[in-house]
Amino acid sequence: AFLVDIVRTPGMSLPKTLHGVLVEIILCNVWCESTKSSPELDICIDNILTLDSLTECFPSIRYLFSSLCKLAYYGTQENRVVFYGDNLVKAGLTHVESTKLGLVQAVKQSTSRVEQAYSYSFIHLTVQETLAAYYASKMPD
């Protein structure tokens, strides 16, 4: 549905590559979740064209987005698609932060312990790989 909105927006066209589609999915997801949790962010999605412009338009999520990219990068290096609390901590995330942008889903694990245990995964492997590639592209040489 969001791709239809892109086509209806004057001057916008459908992405021509799979990478472009994935970036659009990430941008739309983050924009929707960010404006839902922070309605004061009255920024038009038309100003958000790249992953770089995402953090420029939403400086409040810069650290969070960077941490998710870091989690994706190291997870991809380790062939990991399911993450646990210790993985989040290494990336600088908490349980609440990890799901805030709508790119990671949390699943409660059945456990007999008093504390709740969760596992986490990106909404799709290709989203994880796209974020990992973005993180790698920003790493110093």
Side-chain angles (χ1 to χ4, degrees):
F2 72 89
L3 289 178
V4 173
D5 291 337
I6 291 170
V7 173
R8 291 182 185 159
T9 304
M12 298 295 288
S13 61
L14 284 172
K16 301 201 180 337
T17 64
L18 178 59
H19 175 75
V21 171
L22 290 166
V23 167
E24 287 297 327
I25 290 169
I26 292 167
L27 294 176
C28 288
N29 224 14
V30 170
W31 181 80
C32 289
E33 291 300 317
S34 296
T35 54
K36 225 189 294 181
S37 62
S38 302
E40 70 277 1
L41 295 173
D42 188 19
I43 297 174
C44 181
I45 195 165
D46 296 342
N47 297 329
I48 304 171
L49 302 174
T50 65
L51 294 178
D52 286 331
S53 64
L54 174 71
T55 56
E56 291 168 12
C57 289
F58 292 106
S60 60
I61 65 161
R62 185 174 293 134
Y63 176 79
L64 182 55
F65 185 73
S66 175
S67 296
L68 284 175
C69 291
K70 181 179 181 180
L71 180 69
Y73 176 78
Y74 288 108
T76 301
Q77 273 194 326
E78 299 167 1
N79 292 321
R80 178 185 303 272
V81 294
V82 177
F83 302 91
Y84 298 96
D86 59 328
N87 303 118
L88 297 182
V89 170
K90 287 179 187 173
L93 294 164
T94 65
H95 167 75
V96 172
E97 291 172 332
S98 66
T99 57
K100 190 173 184 176
L101 297 182
L103 300 175
V104 172
Q105 56 192 1
V107 177
K108 185 176 178 183
Q109 302 297 307
S110 58
T111 179
S112 60
R113 297 184 303 186
V114 175
E115 68 181 58
Q116 296 177 350
Y118 290 88
S119 64
Y120 306 86
S121 63
F122 285 88
I123 56 174
H124 197 275
L125 177 59
T126 54
V127 169
Q128 179 180 342
E129 292 169 339
T130 302
L131 294 177
Y134 178 74
Y135 183 82
S137 74
K138 298 299 177 187
M139 293 175 78
D141 292 334

